[in-house]
Amino acid sequence: MSIEQRVRPEVRAMARPRHGGDVWGRLQVRDFSSNVNPLGAPERLGEYIAEAARDMENYPDDSCAELKDAISSRYGVPPSNIVVGAGSAELIRLFPEVFVRPGDRVVMPRPTFSEYGFACRLMGAEMVDLPLPEDDAFRLDIGSMVSMMLPGTRAVYVCNPNNPTARMLSRKEVLELVAEARRRDVMVFLDETLLELSERDADVTCVPEVESNDNLFIIRSFTKSFAMPGIRVGYGFGSREVIRYMDAARLSWNLGTLEQRVATRLMAEEQEHVRRAVSMLVGEKDRMRSGIARITGTKVALPDSYFFFHSLEELGMTSCQFRDAMLRHNVLVRDCSSFGPPCHGYSRFCVKTRPKDDEFLGALQLVVEEIGGR
Ligand SMILES: Cc1ncc(COP(=O)(O)O)c(C=O)c1O
């Protein structure tokens, strides 16, 4: 028997999901392709890491008790409603491992973050796409999603705000979806990793709702809020029962001692850092919007989030061509072709600080001049 024949059929067909942020070894490049806190990591991160780097000869606390306590205090939700992971990516993998059986229908908006589909396909799920309408700025219609919850549907996925489209649902809309799903015995996987850097976070988050909605699971992450993709810490909220099973199935020692200690300090002591970024982003997002509109001569809508999903139609470029053109001026944006049609005609880039955004706008100006625009 060949190795290929020994491999599970779901794995044979797998290709790795593609992501932005590929700046390794290109120090001069400004990364606008990954949506992390524009202020960077908190100044004291190095100090926290140095202080945490002791007793590495012992196994980490497998229950991550201190970190869960810190998350619990920040969100006002008991530790029994919290699970932590090596990045929210681990929890994206864990959710279908716990809830999805081979052949289950899983409904997913398209485009959305690719890791969800990857994890569900690995478990043998039947993936059903809900295409988001380009002519309605990719708005997710709750009624359409509910109508796709046919018998055999195990879960639906919602990313709020959605990666890559930057569209946000209100809490009311999400809870309406959760209620309809509960009536049909369908789980809702809600990704709020990009919400914390939005000024609407407190009004939109559904974290306080998890205990009363046992079909809801929510992920959040340190990656975006504290700009630390290099240290892998994410967390999830669910009812006590949901968390009990997820915690039972997760990888042992999934968070090292270093990660646990650093994340605990950040959660307890660096909320102000996140708040500063949020208030800075409000004004800076609008400045970016008018800068892009001026340079490209197009109308640019204000995104619901702190990143743009920008149509390249007026520039007459594909997502890949735009990425390459901007990269020649040391700015990295997300080539959205991997999200599938119609995303090859869009680019995703985030908002950063004023001087960095000016570099972005400078590069955009040069690209527009190169293609003979205004
Ligand atoms: C929407 C969304 N969710 C989750 C993740 C995973 O992030 P992490 O594993 O670093 O928490 C990402 C990373 O790009 C993302 O964009």
Side-chain angles (χ1 to χ4, degrees):
M1 194 188 275
S2 70
I3 295 289
E4 192 186 354
Q5 285 166 321
R6 285 181 224 172
V7 169
R8 285 173 43 219
E10 294 84 6
V11 179
R12 264 182 239 155
M14 271 349 237
R16 300 271 328 142
R18 299 236 307 274
H19 299 297
D22 40 342
V23 283
W24 318 286
R26 303 192 209 152
L27 287 180
Q28 78 287 14
V29 169
R30 281 265 181 256
D31 182 16
F32 281 79
S33 74
S34 51
N35 302 322
V36 300
N37 186 324
L39 300 179
E43 230 168 73
R44 295 180 64 197
L45 179 64
E47 201 180 298
Y48 299 145
I49 294 172
E51 281 173 17
R54 59 193 149 80
D55 18 281
M56 293 296 145
E57 68 277 19
N58 298 317
Y59 270 92
D61 168 15
D62 183 51
S63 72
C64 297
E66 278 188 16
L67 175 55
K68 281 191 199 164
D69 282 346
I71 297 170
S72 163
S73 306
R74 149 80 173 83
Y75 286 94
V77 168
S80 50
N81 291 109
I82 299 167
V83 62
V84 295
S88 61
E90 187 192 356
L91 304 175
I92 293 174
R93 174 69 73 94
L94 182 60
F95 181 82
E97 282 174 351
V98 173
F99 292 107
V100 176
R101 295 163 182 74
D104 280 352
R105 272 172 64 94
V106 174
V107 178
M108 193 122 348
R110 182 170 49 82
T112 195
F113 187 48
S114 58
E115 292 285 336
Y116 317 142
F118 179 73
C120 291
R121 279 194 298 275
L122 266 181
M123 298 313 297
E126 181 202 331
M127 305 303 298
V128 183
D129 278 354
L130 169 61
L132 299 172
E134 187 178 12
D135 57 6
D136 192 12
F138 299 96
R139 192 175 69 84
L140 171 58
D141 177 55
I142 300 301
S144 307
M145 189 164 240
V146 171
S147 69
M148 296 184 84
M149 295 179 191
L150 303 177
T153 305
R154 181 71 58 188
V156 297
Y157 277 69
V158 176
C159 185
N160 203 32
N162 189 39
N163 176 5
T165 59
R167 289 302 302 257
M168 198 186 288
L169 294 172
S170 67
R171 175 190 283 160
K172 187 166 165 283
E173 287 173 301
V174 177
L175 291 181
E176 185 188 325
L177 179 77
V178 172
E180 292 290 346
R182 198 169 58 239
R183 270 181 224 126
R184 292 163 177 79
D185 266 339
V186 173
M187 301 276 306
V188 177
F189 182 101
L190 178 62
D191 185 336
E192 290 190 352
T193 56
L194 299 168
L195 186 57
E196 203 174 343
L197 285 172
S198 158
E199 71 279 15
R200 290 174 58 198
D201 182 17
D203 296 332
V204 171
T205 181
C206 291
V207 169
E209 313 294 333
V210 285
E211 192 48 49
S212 47
N213 290 282
D214 64 2
N215 63 330
L216 175 62
F217 179 65
I218 304 177
I219 57 167
R220 291 201 156 216
S221 181
F222 283 74
T223 299
K224 316 288 180 190
S225 312
F226 297 102
M228 45 172 251
I231 302 177
R232 312 292 306 138
V233 193
Y235 48 105
F237 298 92
S239 70
R240 249 167 303 170
E241 272 236 278
V242 164
I243 295 301
R244 180 158 67 82
Y245 287 111
M246 293 195 71
D247 202 50
R250 72 172 164 79
L251 186 72
S252 298
W253 312 297
N254 57 343
L255 283 198
T257 305
L258 197 87
E259 285 82 356
Q260 291 187 39
R261 286 187 180 143
V262 170
T264 303
R265 297 287 299 274
L266 290 169
M267 190 51 81
E269 296 171 41
E270 295 291 350
Q271 292 303 325
E272 188 49 35
H273 182 72
V274 181
R275 279 193 288 273
R276 271 203 303 130
V278 171
S279 56
M280 195 252 337
L281 280 168
V282 175
E284 199 49 30
K285 176 166 77 171
D286 197 34
R287 211 178 64 85
M288 270 285 259
R289 186 195 58 78
S290 39
I292 298 164
R294 179 177 34 82
I295 292 167
T296 59
T298 55
K299 263 199 172 158
V300 179
L302 207 56
D304 292 340
S305 192
Y306 59 102
F307 53 96
F308 286 81
F309 186 59
H310 183 67
S311 168
L312 301 169
E313 196 181 345
E314 301 289 338
L315 296 183
M317 293 175 110
T318 65
S319 197
C320 179
Q321 288 167 338
F322 184 66
R323 173 193 188 268
D324 292 348
M326 291 292 279
L327 201 50
R328 283 195 282 278
H329 303 292
N330 287 329
V331 167
L332 180 66
V333 297
R334 176 72 154 91
D335 169 7
C336 291
S337 342
S338 65
F339 287 101
C343 301
H344 52 269
Y346 289 80
S347 180
R348 195 195 71 202
F349 43 83
C350 60
V351 180
K352 287 184 173 285
T353 55
R354 180 169 285 225
K356 290 178 187 163
D357 292 341
D358 284 341
E359 285 178 39
F360 176 96
L361 294 172
L364 181 64
Q365 176 77 56
L366 292 173
V367 168
V368 169
E369 284 166 14
E370 279 159 15
I371 60 170
R374 332 171 335 133

